[in-house]
Short mmCIF file of all heavy atoms in Angstrom, two decimals:
data_model
loop_
_atom_site.label_atom_id
_atom_site.label_comp_id
_atom_site.label_asym_id
_atom_site.label_seq_id
_atom_site.Cartn_x
_atom_site.Cartn_y
_atom_site.Cartn_z
N HIS A 12 9.51 0.83 -13.70
CA HIS A 12 8.58 0.22 -14.66
C HIS A 12 7.18 0.82 -14.51
O HIS A 12 6.51 1.08 -15.52
CB HIS A 12 8.53 -1.29 -14.45
CG HIS A 12 9.84 -1.98 -14.68
ND1 HIS A 12 10.39 -2.15 -15.93
CD2 HIS A 12 10.73 -2.52 -13.80
CE1 HIS A 12 11.55 -2.78 -15.82
NE2 HIS A 12 11.78 -3.02 -14.54
N LEU A 13 6.74 1.02 -13.28
CA LEU A 13 5.42 1.60 -13.06
C LEU A 13 5.37 3.04 -13.55
O LEU A 13 4.37 3.48 -14.13
CB LEU A 13 5.05 1.53 -11.58
CG LEU A 13 4.99 0.14 -10.93
CD1 LEU A 13 4.48 0.25 -9.49
CD2 LEU A 13 4.10 -0.80 -11.74
N ARG A 14 6.44 3.78 -13.32
CA ARG A 14 6.48 5.17 -13.81
C ARG A 14 6.37 5.22 -15.32
O ARG A 14 5.63 6.04 -15.87
CB ARG A 14 7.77 5.85 -13.34
CG ARG A 14 7.86 6.08 -11.84
CD ARG A 14 9.11 6.88 -11.51
NE ARG A 14 9.40 6.89 -10.07
CZ ARG A 14 10.49 6.37 -9.53
NH1 ARG A 14 11.41 5.78 -10.29
NH2 ARG A 14 10.67 6.43 -8.22
N ARG A 15 7.12 4.36 -16.00
CA ARG A 15 7.08 4.36 -17.47
C ARG A 15 5.70 3.99 -18.00
O ARG A 15 5.28 4.49 -19.05
CB ARG A 15 8.14 3.40 -18.02
CG ARG A 15 9.55 3.94 -17.99
CD ARG A 15 10.49 3.12 -18.84
NE ARG A 15 10.66 1.77 -18.32
CZ ARG A 15 11.61 1.42 -17.44
NH1 ARG A 15 12.45 2.33 -16.99
NH2 ARG A 15 11.71 0.17 -17.04
N GLN A 16 5.00 3.12 -17.28
CA GLN A 16 3.66 2.72 -17.71
C GLN A 16 2.59 3.72 -17.33
O GLN A 16 1.44 3.63 -17.77
CB GLN A 16 3.30 1.36 -17.10
CG GLN A 16 3.97 0.20 -17.79
CD GLN A 16 3.57 -1.15 -17.24
OE1 GLN A 16 4.21 -2.13 -17.53
NE2 GLN A 16 2.49 -1.23 -16.48
N GLY A 17 2.93 4.66 -16.47
CA GLY A 17 1.98 5.68 -16.07
C GLY A 17 1.14 5.33 -14.87
O GLY A 17 0.12 5.99 -14.61
N GLY A 18 1.55 4.33 -14.10
CA GLY A 18 0.81 4.01 -12.88
C GLY A 18 0.94 2.56 -12.46
O GLY A 18 1.52 1.74 -13.18
N GLY A 19 0.39 2.27 -11.30
CA GLY A 19 0.41 0.91 -10.77
C GLY A 19 0.14 0.93 -9.28
O GLY A 19 -0.04 2.00 -8.68
N THR A 20 0.11 -0.24 -8.69
CA THR A 20 -0.25 -0.38 -7.28
C THR A 20 0.79 -1.22 -6.56
O THR A 20 1.22 -2.26 -7.07
CB THR A 20 -1.63 -1.06 -7.12
OG1 THR A 20 -2.59 -0.35 -7.89
CG2 THR A 20 -2.06 -1.06 -5.66
N ILE A 21 1.17 -0.77 -5.38
CA ILE A 21 2.06 -1.52 -4.50
C ILE A 21 1.31 -1.80 -3.20
O ILE A 21 0.79 -0.87 -2.57
CB ILE A 21 3.35 -0.75 -4.21
CG1 ILE A 21 4.15 -0.56 -5.51
CG2 ILE A 21 4.20 -1.47 -3.16
CD1 ILE A 21 5.33 0.38 -5.38
N VAL A 22 1.23 -3.06 -2.82
CA VAL A 22 0.58 -3.44 -1.56
C VAL A 22 1.62 -4.09 -0.66
O VAL A 22 2.27 -5.06 -1.06
CB VAL A 22 -0.59 -4.41 -1.78
CG1 VAL A 22 -1.24 -4.74 -0.43
CG2 VAL A 22 -1.62 -3.82 -2.73
N ASN A 23 1.79 -3.53 0.51
CA ASN A 23 2.70 -4.08 1.52
C ASN A 23 1.88 -4.79 2.58
O ASN A 23 1.06 -4.15 3.26
CB ASN A 23 3.54 -2.96 2.14
CG ASN A 23 4.51 -2.35 1.14
OD1 ASN A 23 5.10 -3.05 0.33
ND2 ASN A 23 4.65 -1.04 1.18
N VAL A 24 2.05 -6.10 2.69
CA VAL A 24 1.36 -6.86 3.74
C VAL A 24 2.10 -6.60 5.04
O VAL A 24 3.20 -7.12 5.26
CB VAL A 24 1.30 -8.35 3.40
CG1 VAL A 24 0.60 -9.11 4.53
CG2 VAL A 24 0.56 -8.58 2.08
N ASN A 25 1.52 -5.78 5.86
CA ASN A 25 2.12 -5.30 7.09
C ASN A 25 1.66 -6.18 8.25
O ASN A 25 1.60 -7.40 8.13
CB ASN A 25 1.76 -3.82 7.27
CG ASN A 25 2.76 -3.06 8.12
OD1 ASN A 25 3.08 -3.45 9.24
ND2 ASN A 25 3.24 -1.96 7.60
N SER A 26 1.30 -5.59 9.36
CA SER A 26 0.87 -6.31 10.56
C SER A 26 0.32 -5.29 11.53
O SER A 26 0.67 -4.10 11.47
CB SER A 26 2.05 -7.05 11.20
OG SER A 26 1.74 -7.49 12.51
N GLU A 27 -0.51 -5.75 12.46
CA GLU A 27 -0.90 -4.87 13.57
C GLU A 27 0.33 -4.31 14.27
O GLU A 27 0.30 -3.22 14.83
CB GLU A 27 -1.76 -5.64 14.57
CG GLU A 27 -3.21 -5.77 14.21
CD GLU A 27 -4.02 -6.33 15.36
OE1 GLU A 27 -3.65 -7.41 15.88
OE2 GLU A 27 -5.02 -5.69 15.75
N ALA A 28 1.42 -5.08 14.24
CA ALA A 28 2.66 -4.64 14.87
C ALA A 28 3.25 -3.42 14.18
O ALA A 28 4.13 -2.76 14.74
CB ALA A 28 3.68 -5.77 14.89
N GLY A 29 2.79 -3.11 12.97
CA GLY A 29 3.23 -1.91 12.28
C GLY A 29 2.47 -0.66 12.73
O GLY A 29 2.78 0.44 12.28
N LEU A 30 1.49 -0.85 13.61
CA LEU A 30 0.73 0.26 14.19
C LEU A 30 0.97 0.41 15.68
O LEU A 30 0.99 1.50 16.22
CB LEU A 30 -0.77 0.06 13.95
CG LEU A 30 -1.24 0.09 12.51
CD1 LEU A 30 -2.70 -0.34 12.42
CD2 LEU A 30 -1.06 1.48 11.91
N ARG A 31 1.15 -0.74 16.35
CA ARG A 31 1.39 -0.73 17.79
C ARG A 31 2.24 -1.95 18.15
O ARG A 31 1.88 -3.08 17.86
CB ARG A 31 0.06 -0.78 18.55
CG ARG A 31 0.21 -0.72 20.08
CD ARG A 31 -1.14 -0.70 20.76
NE ARG A 31 -1.90 0.50 20.41
CZ ARG A 31 -1.76 1.68 21.02
NH1 ARG A 31 -0.89 1.81 22.01
NH2 ARG A 31 -2.49 2.71 20.65
N ALA A 32 3.35 -1.68 18.80
CA ALA A 32 4.24 -2.77 19.20
C ALA A 32 3.64 -3.56 20.36
O ALA A 32 2.81 -3.06 21.12
CB ALA A 32 5.60 -2.21 19.60
N SER A 33 4.07 -4.81 20.46
CA SER A 33 3.61 -5.66 21.57
C SER A 33 4.68 -6.69 21.87
O SER A 33 5.56 -6.97 21.04
CB SER A 33 2.31 -6.38 21.20
OG SER A 33 2.55 -7.36 20.21
N ALA A 34 4.60 -7.25 23.07
CA ALA A 34 5.54 -8.31 23.44
C ALA A 34 5.35 -9.53 22.54
O ALA A 34 6.30 -10.27 22.29
CB ALA A 34 5.35 -8.69 24.91
N LYS A 35 4.13 -9.74 22.06
CA LYS A 35 3.85 -10.89 21.20
C LYS A 35 4.65 -10.81 19.90
O LYS A 35 5.17 -11.82 19.42
CB LYS A 35 2.36 -10.95 20.89
CG LYS A 35 1.97 -12.11 19.99
CD LYS A 35 0.46 -12.17 19.79
CE LYS A 35 -0.06 -11.03 18.95
NZ LYS A 35 -1.51 -11.18 18.63
N SER A 36 4.77 -9.63 19.32
CA SER A 36 5.46 -9.49 18.04
C SER A 36 6.97 -9.42 18.19
O SER A 36 7.70 -9.90 17.32
CB SER A 36 4.95 -8.24 17.31
OG SER A 36 5.21 -7.08 18.07
N GLY A 37 7.44 -8.83 19.27
CA GLY A 37 8.87 -8.69 19.47
C GLY A 37 9.43 -7.43 18.83
O GLY A 37 8.82 -6.83 17.93
N ALA A 38 10.62 -7.04 19.28
CA ALA A 38 11.20 -5.76 18.88
C ALA A 38 11.57 -5.72 17.40
O ALA A 38 11.23 -4.76 16.69
CB ALA A 38 12.45 -5.47 19.73
N ALA A 39 12.27 -6.74 16.90
CA ALA A 39 12.72 -6.70 15.51
C ALA A 39 11.54 -6.66 14.55
O ALA A 39 11.55 -5.91 13.56
CB ALA A 39 13.60 -7.92 15.22
N TYR A 40 10.53 -7.46 14.82
CA TYR A 40 9.35 -7.51 13.96
C TYR A 40 8.64 -6.16 13.98
O TYR A 40 8.26 -5.64 12.91
CB TYR A 40 8.43 -8.62 14.43
CG TYR A 40 7.31 -8.97 13.48
CD1 TYR A 40 7.54 -9.77 12.37
CD2 TYR A 40 6.00 -8.52 13.70
CE1 TYR A 40 6.52 -10.11 11.50
CE2 TYR A 40 4.98 -8.85 12.83
CZ TYR A 40 5.24 -9.64 11.74
OH TYR A 40 4.23 -9.97 10.88
N ALA A 41 8.48 -5.57 15.15
CA ALA A 41 7.79 -4.28 15.25
C ALA A 41 8.57 -3.19 14.52
O ALA A 41 7.99 -2.39 13.79
CB ALA A 41 7.59 -3.91 16.72
N VAL A 42 9.87 -3.17 14.70
CA VAL A 42 10.69 -2.16 14.01
C VAL A 42 10.55 -2.32 12.50
O VAL A 42 10.38 -1.34 11.76
CB VAL A 42 12.17 -2.29 14.44
CG1 VAL A 42 13.06 -1.46 13.53
CG2 VAL A 42 12.34 -1.85 15.89
N SER A 43 10.60 -3.56 12.03
CA SER A 43 10.50 -3.79 10.57
C SER A 43 9.14 -3.37 10.04
O SER A 43 9.05 -2.80 8.95
CB SER A 43 10.77 -5.26 10.25
OG SER A 43 9.74 -6.12 10.72
N LYS A 44 8.09 -3.63 10.79
CA LYS A 44 6.75 -3.32 10.31
C LYS A 44 6.43 -1.83 10.43
O LYS A 44 5.72 -1.28 9.59
CB LYS A 44 5.71 -4.17 11.06
CG LYS A 44 5.82 -5.66 10.75
CD LYS A 44 5.63 -5.96 9.26
CE LYS A 44 5.59 -7.44 8.97
NZ LYS A 44 5.35 -7.75 7.55
N PHE A 45 6.94 -1.17 11.47
CA PHE A 45 6.80 0.29 11.52
C PHE A 45 7.52 0.92 10.33
O PHE A 45 7.03 1.88 9.73
CB PHE A 45 7.37 0.84 12.83
CG PHE A 45 6.35 1.00 13.92
CD1 PHE A 45 5.90 -0.10 14.65
CD2 PHE A 45 5.84 2.25 14.23
CE1 PHE A 45 4.96 0.05 15.66
CE2 PHE A 45 4.90 2.41 15.24
CZ PHE A 45 4.46 1.30 15.95
N GLY A 46 8.68 0.39 9.98
CA GLY A 46 9.39 0.88 8.81
C GLY A 46 8.60 0.67 7.53
O GLY A 46 8.60 1.53 6.64
N LEU A 47 7.92 -0.47 7.43
CA LEU A 47 7.11 -0.75 6.25
C LEU A 47 5.94 0.23 6.15
O LEU A 47 5.54 0.63 5.04
CB LEU A 47 6.60 -2.19 6.31
CG LEU A 47 6.05 -2.80 5.02
CD1 LEU A 47 7.08 -2.76 3.90
CD2 LEU A 47 5.59 -4.23 5.28
N THR A 48 5.39 0.62 7.29
CA THR A 48 4.34 1.65 7.30
C THR A 48 4.88 2.96 6.71
O THR A 48 4.23 3.60 5.87
CB THR A 48 3.84 1.89 8.72
OG1 THR A 48 3.32 0.66 9.26
CG2 THR A 48 2.75 2.95 8.76
N GLY A 49 6.07 3.34 7.13
CA GLY A 49 6.68 4.57 6.61
C GLY A 49 6.99 4.48 5.14
O GLY A 49 6.83 5.46 4.40
N LEU A 50 7.42 3.30 4.68
CA LEU A 50 7.71 3.12 3.26
C LEU A 50 6.44 3.30 2.43
O LEU A 50 6.46 3.98 1.39
CB LEU A 50 8.31 1.74 3.04
CG LEU A 50 8.59 1.35 1.58
CD1 LEU A 50 9.57 2.31 0.93
CD2 LEU A 50 9.10 -0.09 1.50
#
């Protein structure tokens, strides 16, 4: 839909855990947020 309209914005609400893992965030959360950074 965005391509057909010629543009648009996607915002992914990530986390500090998407930049640096920590025991506070846990493994699954960190993996998911690092993946969101890559997306």
Side-chain angles (χ1 to χ4, degrees):
H12 298 287
L13 300 185
R14 292 186 192 117
R15 282 194 294 270
Q16 283 183 194
T20 307
I21 296 171
V22 181
N23 293 320
V24 179
N25 205 307
S26 166
E27 279 190 306
L30 295 171
R31 182 177 297 276
S33 70
K35 180 176 70 174
S36 61
Y40 192 79
V42 168
S43 69
K44 293 301 186 178
F45 266 78
L47 196 57
T48 301
L50 176 60

